[in-house]
Amino acid sequence: MEFSLFFFADSGAAGADGYRLLLESARFADANGLSAVWTPERHFHSFGGLYPNPAVTGAAVAAVTERVGIRAGSVVAPLHHPVRIAEEWSVVDNLSRGRVGVSFASGWHAVDFVLRPENYADRKSAMVETADMVRRLWRGDEVEFSDGAGEKQSVRIFPAPVQPELPVWITSAGSPETFRAAGRLNAGLLTHMLGQDREALARNIAAYRQELAQTHGENARGHVALMLHTMIGDDRGRVRELVLEPFGNYLRSSADLIIKAASTLLPAGVDLNRLPDRDKQYLIKHAVDRYFTTSGLFGTVTDGLETVDRLREIGVDEIACLIDYGVPHDEVLRSLPYIAELRARTK
């Protein structure tokens, strides 16, 4: 099992200390055999507001590391011109001497599409088309686009990337069709457990690998990275105490995602958006309990070994440990050696 670090939610103010957790954690990952550091693309909200551009944060990670992978988790493909994506990540590939990878997402929040409103309605198709064009540009192909005068022009990117092929994932929140699309594209799969339980995840991974085999041959296995909220320590009770309040606050900050995740708990036809606040708070508390016991990577190294075994059985290749959901940064940094120990015991 591979282990990586994943950043997504930090809403701390930028400035002298704003990116301390990212950079210090990246140095730790680099020195302790973790596979990668993932940073996201987030817009127009304090939830995740430190991360509007993963190419920029990826360049910062490249400057302080030597071997760890530098990945976008994710680039919201329909918000950008494919040439711009390919150029930016080729620069990071050069800065890192060939360590980048990109997971492409279709996006879901309409407000984000103020950047390219014309792509919102058909965003899933736009994601697939953009990923394909970025891959072609990365290989050195000339790709034709319209210029400012309405003429067709064939362009290629500079600088040329170090890696001949761009490592690509597709991000899915649990849609079986997106899992299958990743298989057809011969891409990796980046997913999480908001909105899907372990049984649904197992079915989705099986569908992904079936599509891979049918489209690209029986030896094509792909790569499944699962983002899990993580806190490992030497005492399960202490870990629970550390995460309980900040994780609850984190879930409130992303209430629309949690409402989606909790939808399977209610009778059909119930409109969660119309629930009174007390019922929403109950669902958040239930979600905290669920994540701590079944849907996260929490507790001791021994607890973690049990989680890893369950996930390995259903085909997960990598656990992307989301560590920036509100626990004080010093506590998070003190927990990192336990992630490294867990990794060492699951080789």
Side-chain angles (χ1 to χ4, degrees):
M1 182 71 73
E2 297 177 39
F3 286 80
S4 56
L5 298 182
F6 197 100
F7 294 81
F8 182 77
D10 202 320
S11 58
D17 197 50
Y19 296 93
R20 171 179 167 241
L21 180 62
L22 170 64
L23 298 179
E24 290 195 20
S25 298
R27 292 186 184 99
F28 180 92
D30 197 54
N32 289 275
L34 276 67
S35 297
V37 174
W38 302 79
T39 57
E41 177 178 348
R42 307 283 296 159
H43 297 289
F44 314 130
H45 199 285
S46 60
F47 180 72
L50 288 180
Y51 298 105
N53 188 333
V56 175
T57 47
V61 171
V64 299
T65 59
E66 296 181 354
R67 55 151 299 278
V68 73
I70 299 165
R71 299 182 191 158
S74 309
V75 169
V76 184
L79 300 183
H80 309 286
H81 196 287
V83 171
R84 184 44 119 183
I85 297 171
E87 285 180 337
E88 288 183 349
W89 282 96
S90 183
V91 170
V92 183
D93 203 48
N94 278 270
L95 289 169
S96 65
R97 297 187 176 92
R99 291 186 277 136
V100 308
V102 174
S103 190
F104 290 98
S106 61
W108 60 276
H109 200 291
V111 175
D112 291 353
F113 282 78
V114 300
L115 296 170
R116 291 193 73 181
E118 70 277 11
N119 280 351
Y120 181 69
D122 203 22
R123 58 194 181 277
K124 291 187 181 297
S125 295
M127 175 190 71
V128 172
E129 293 169 5
T130 299
D132 177 66
M133 284 188 280
V134 171
R135 280 173 143 176
R136 290 170 57 198
L137 288 161
W138 194 273
R139 295 177 188 129
D141 294 352
E142 290 190 348
V143 180
E144 190 175 77
F145 299 98
S146 296
D147 67 12
E151 302 292 331
K152 294 292 186 180
Q153 300 290 344
S154 294
V155 298
R156 66 175 58 184
I157 63 165
F158 295 95
V162 174
Q163 297 176 97
E165 288 282 342
L166 174 65
V168 167
W169 288 256
I170 298 297
T171 301
S172 175
S175 164
E177 178 50 39
T178 306
F179 275 74
R180 289 191 288 268
R184 290 192 294 273
L185 290 167
N186 199 20
L189 199 289
L190 173 63
T191 190
H192 52 69
M193 297 190 75
L194 287 167
Q196 60 181 338
D197 59 18
R198 182 173 172 272
E199 290 71 27
L201 176 62
R203 291 192 298 271
N204 283 335
I205 292 174
Y208 163 67
R209 294 227 155 90
Q210 181 181 31
E211 198 74 42
L212 269 171
Q214 290 177 350
T215 310
H216 301 283
E218 61 182 18
N219 293 326
R221 189 174 184 280
H223 182 273
V224 176
L226 176 66
M227 183 276 285
L228 288 181
H229 299 83
T230 300
M231 172 61 73
I232 305 291
D234 59 6
D235 181 270
R236 181 179 173 85
R238 167 67 173 153
V239 169
R240 185 179 180 86
E241 180 183 326
L242 278 172
V243 306
L244 198 58
E245 181 177 354
F247 194 58
N249 292 336
Y250 160 80
L251 295 184
R252 290 182 190 92
S253 297
S254 55
D256 44 1
L257 293 179
I258 303 314
I259 285 172
K260 177 184 175 184
S263 60
T264 57
L265 305 174
L266 295 178
V270 172
D271 185 349
L272 291 167
N273 291 304
R274 295 184 179 180
L275 286 176
D277 286 343
R278 66 178 182 277
D279 292 337
K280 289 182 181 179
Q281 294 309 313
Y282 167 80
L283 289 177
I284 288 172
K285 182 180 184 302
H286 184 95
V288 171
D289 292 338
R290 172 195 160 200
Y291 274 93
F292 195 88
T293 56
T294 66
S295 300
L297 187 59
F298 295 115
T300 65
V301 171
T302 300
D303 295 323
L305 289 169
E306 295 177 4
T307 299
V308 169
D309 286 343
R310 291 194 297 268
L311 295 174
R312 182 181 279 144
E313 286 176 0
I314 64 172
V316 173
D317 301 298
E318 174 184 335
I319 295 176
C321 301
L322 193 156
I323 59 174
D324 69 330
Y325 51 87
V327 175
H329 290 181
D330 286 340
E331 295 285 1
V332 175
L333 292 169
R334 280 193 286 269
S335 77
L336 296 180
Y338 295 102
I339 296 176
E341 180 183 348
L342 179 58
R343 171 194 167 272
R345 292 176 61 180
T346 56
K347 286 184 178 179

